[in-house]
């Protein structure tokens, strides 16, 4: 139903190219466009073979008026490859349909203006049968206005009920029940390529259209996807399947298309591709990022996440990692590489550790039990005893100190209680 305190306004979208397609293909394409239409309104109704209706009366304030809705609709249809597309709006679906067929671009918001706008249009818009058209010609009725000046009961008796019913529905004098599509729990999109190809760039062009339909649906139902599957169909080889993975649920078309393009570029096709499919089995709640009143200095978390996903798409999952701490007292074993999508673990409480840890501890010269590094070191804090590793044969027994060098550098040094004993430099604080 329309939003409270708003008048119904139906936007009819007519796609004439669908009339030339096979019924099954045209129906699938119309359904894909309908899913995209959920981005503009929660009420989308299909009228095969080439028309769909969007109730945008409650969406005008959200998008900023009729002009913005028209612009958004045309850009979306162009991204779906649905050109030409004829648009018109009226208070009734049938009225919008007639205008989209005979006067595209018309935007009528009230029924009185709609009546005057429909009057000069030809009677052929009512889709009469040959016999009904012959009856109209015999009565000298060529315009809808001519039909409106006739007594309705007599007109119905002479030409039949269907054309009169369509006219009354267009004027809002007769109810026109419409079945609106229900948002699916998963997404399935398929597009036949214009010609068989081994070029992944051509397949990526088709994939972008499927992504546009998916993103429109996700925005309409306030959802996102964290994983989607791209499937390339081959006539004489098994399907090629690619997985698009994201670190968090997303519906950013540009970012998703960028990831998909890099995944396709790295894929070698075993045979020509004749069609491409896009599947998303799990639609997740989408949590957007809120803006800040004042601009923050530094790189945002969202920017880092976007960069990470693009690096994974270009280099592969095995080449991109992040660091995490491990509950191991030995400094050289207290961290590990983990995948970016690995869930965060609670931090391990440890005393202060240097940001720069040497790959191998450096043995220091000592005199009278005092270590030297550019001069005698002053021990500021410690000792911290680390005695661990007996279970894997690499046990250590060390006393760590925070030391200051003559030049002012703060070092992390330890005294080894196992052979070869002595003092060692293990890291730098500053």
């Amino acid at each position: 139903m329309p939003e409270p305190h708003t008048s119904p306004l139906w936007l009819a979208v007519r796609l004439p190219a669908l009339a030339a397609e096979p019924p099954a293909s045209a129906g699938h394409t119309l359904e894909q466009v309908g899913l995209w239409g959920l981005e503009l309104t929660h009420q989308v109704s299909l009228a095969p073979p080439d028309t769909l209706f969007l109730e945008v009366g409650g969406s005008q304030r959200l998008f900023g008026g009729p002009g913005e809705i028209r612009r958004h609709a045309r850009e979306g249809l162009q991204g779906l490859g649905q050109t030409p597309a004829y648009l018109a709006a009226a208070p009734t679906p049938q009225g919008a349909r007639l205008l989209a067929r005979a006067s595209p671009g018309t935007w009528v918001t009230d029924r009185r203006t709609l009546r005057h706008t429909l009057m000069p249009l030809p009677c052929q818009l009512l889709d009469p049968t040959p016999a009904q058209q012959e009856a109209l010609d015999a009565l000298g009725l060529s315009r809808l206005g001519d039909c409106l000046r006739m007594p309705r009961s007599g007109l119905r008796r002479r030409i039949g009920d269907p054309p009169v019913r369509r006219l009354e529905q267009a004027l809002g004098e007769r109810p026109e029940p419409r079945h609106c599509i229900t948002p699916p729990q998963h997404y399935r999109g398929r597009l036949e390529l214009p010609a068989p190809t081994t070029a992944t760039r051509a397949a990526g062009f088709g994939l972008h259209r499927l992504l546009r339909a998916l993103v429109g649906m996700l925005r309409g139902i306030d959802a996102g996807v964290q994983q989607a599957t791209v499937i390339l169909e081959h006539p004489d080889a098994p399907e090629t399947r690619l997985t698009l993975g994201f670190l968090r649920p997303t519906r950013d078309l540009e970012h998703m298309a960028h990831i998909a393009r890099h995944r396709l570029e790295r894929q070698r096709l075993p045979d020509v591709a004749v069609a491409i499919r896009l599947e998303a089995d799990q639609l997740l709640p989408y949590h957007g990022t809120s803006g800040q009143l004042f601009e923050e200095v530094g790189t945002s978390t969202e920017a880092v996440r976007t960069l990470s996903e693009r690096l994974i798409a270009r280099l592969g999952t095995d080449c991109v990692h992040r660091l995490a701490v491990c509950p191991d007292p030995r400094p050289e074993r207290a961290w590990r590489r983990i995948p970016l999508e690995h869930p965060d673990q609670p931090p391990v409480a440890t005393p202060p550790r240097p940001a720069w840890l040497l790959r191998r501890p450096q043995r220091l010269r000592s005199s009278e039990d005092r270590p030297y590094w550019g001069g005698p070191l002053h021990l500021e804090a410690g000792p911290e005893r680390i005695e661990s590793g007996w279970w894997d044969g690499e046990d250590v027994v060390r006393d760590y100190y925070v030391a200051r060098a003559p030049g002012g550098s703060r070092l992390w040094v330890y005294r080894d209680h196992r052979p070869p004993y002595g003092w060692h430099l293990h890291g730098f604080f500053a």
Side-chain angles (χ1 to χ4, degrees):
M1 297 296 293
E3 299 293 334
H5 311 299
T6 61
S7 300
L9 184 64
W10 291 89
L11 175 64
V13 179
R14 179 171 170 261
L15 308 173
L18 297 185
E21 294 186 12
S25 176
H28 180 77
T29 301
L30 192 65
E31 181 182 359
Q32 291 295 307
V33 179
L35 292 177
W36 158 82
L38 292 172
E39 182 176 349
L40 294 174
T41 175
H42 64 282
Q43 290 191 91
V44 179
S45 179
L46 307 182
D50 61 357
T51 305
L52 70 152
F53 301 107
L54 313 174
E55 202 295 302
V56 296
S59 305
Q60 295 188 86
R61 183 177 179 183
L62 174 64
F63 284 90
E68 284 300 307
I69 289 182
R70 279 195 293 259
R71 182 187 64 81
H72 200 92
R74 292 195 179 279
E75 289 180 355
L77 291 167
Q78 185 176 4
L80 292 169
Q82 297 303 321
T83 53
Y86 301 129
L87 281 66
T92 64
Q94 194 65 236
R97 175 177 173 269
L98 299 181
L99 293 175
R101 292 176 62 186
S103 183
T106 305
W107 195 280
V108 179
T109 58
D110 63 275
R111 294 186 179 181
R112 178 176 296 181
T113 304
L114 175 62
R115 184 183 184 92
H116 289 292
T117 306
L118 292 177
M119 289 183 70
L121 301 185
C123 292
Q124 286 82 0
L125 294 176
L126 300 177
D127 297 326
T129 63
Q132 292 168 346
Q133 182 62 53
E134 186 177 348
L136 288 169
D137 294 337
L139 293 171
L141 305 178
S142 60
R143 304 290 176 181
L144 297 183
D146 299 334
C147 297
L148 293 177
R149 285 187 283 269
M150 292 285 292
R152 204 65 55 83
S153 58
L155 181 65
R156 183 176 286 106
R157 187 171 59 253
R158 284 178 168 83
I159 68 172
D161 181 66
V164 179
R165 182 179 69 250
R166 296 187 188 101
L167 180 60
E168 292 174 342
Q169 289 175 338
L171 296 172
E173 299 174 354
R174 192 165 177 172
E176 183 183 357
R178 301 285 332 167
H179 173 72
C180 294
I181 63 175
T182 302
Q185 300 300 314
H186 57 266
Y187 175 80
R188 295 286 187 274
R190 184 180 184 275
L191 181 68
E192 292 188 7
L193 300 178
T197 180
T198 56
T200 55
R201 183 180 297 272
F205 183 76
L207 177 59
H208 191 277
R209 295 184 177 181
L210 296 177
L211 286 171
R212 186 66 187 86
L214 170 62
V215 168
M217 184 191 74
L218 293 174
R219 290 176 178 171
I221 62 177
D222 197 22
V225 293
Q226 198 163 356
Q227 182 172 301
T229 304
V230 179
I231 303 159
L232 295 166
E233 298 179 6
H234 310 289
D236 300 314
E239 297 175 339
T240 299
R241 303 178 72 90
L242 305 174
T243 300
L244 307 181
F246 308 96
L247 300 181
R248 58 171 290 179
T250 183
R251 61 186 187 210
D252 185 332
L253 175 61
E254 181 181 355
H255 179 54
M256 295 172 72
H258 186 94
I259 299 297
R261 183 169 62 252
H262 283 300
R263 289 288 287 115
L264 282 173
E265 288 176 354
R266 295 173 55 230
Q267 184 67 36
R268 179 173 296 180
L269 302 182
D271 191 10
V272 294
V274 295
I276 186 168
R277 304 202 312 268
L278 179 65
E279 298 180 355
D281 291 324
Q282 192 173 15
L283 309 183
L284 304 173
Y286 178 77
H287 303 288
T289 56
S290 60
Q292 300 291 333
L293 178 61
F294 301 103
E295 183 178 356
E296 295 183 354
V297 179
T299 304
S300 68
T301 303
E302 191 67 27
V304 173
R305 183 180 293 109
T306 299
L307 174 62
S308 302
E309 291 175 349
R310 295 187 176 187
L311 288 174
I312 291 175
R314 179 178 289 272
L315 304 176
T317 307
D318 297 336
C319 297
V320 185
H321 303 86
R322 63 189 178 97
L323 301 180
V325 295
C326 296
D328 193 320
R330 293 169 293 182
E332 59 269 28
R333 293 178 174 270
W335 61 276
R336 60 173 176 161
R337 292 189 181 94
I338 61 174
L340 287 176
E341 63 271 16
H342 194 280
D344 291 324
Q345 296 179 347
V348 180
T350 59
R353 293 288 184 261
W356 179 7
L357 201 66
L358 298 180
R359 183 180 295 273
R360 291 185 178 181
Q362 176 184 341
R363 189 178 179 93
L364 298 176
R365 183 173 60 88
S366 62
S367 176
E368 298 181 356
D369 209 22
R370 189 174 187 184
Y372 281 71
W373 192 78
L377 299 180
H378 174 65
L379 304 181
E380 293 185 338
E384 176 194 347
R385 172 62 63 90
I386 294 181
E387 185 173 356
S388 183
W390 55 266
W391 57 88
D392 59 10
E394 297 186 14
D395 52 326
V396 299
V397 181
R398 302 168 180 170
D399 286 338
Y400 278 86
Y401 297 83
V402 177
R404 185 173 296 277
S409 300
R410 296 180 70 239
L411 316 176
W412 204 39
V413 300
Y414 69 85
R415 185 176 185 180
D416 201 344
H417 291 275
R418 292 286 179 87
Y421 302 104
W423 290 87
H424 297 76
L425 171 64
H426 207 165
F428 296 87
F429 285 96

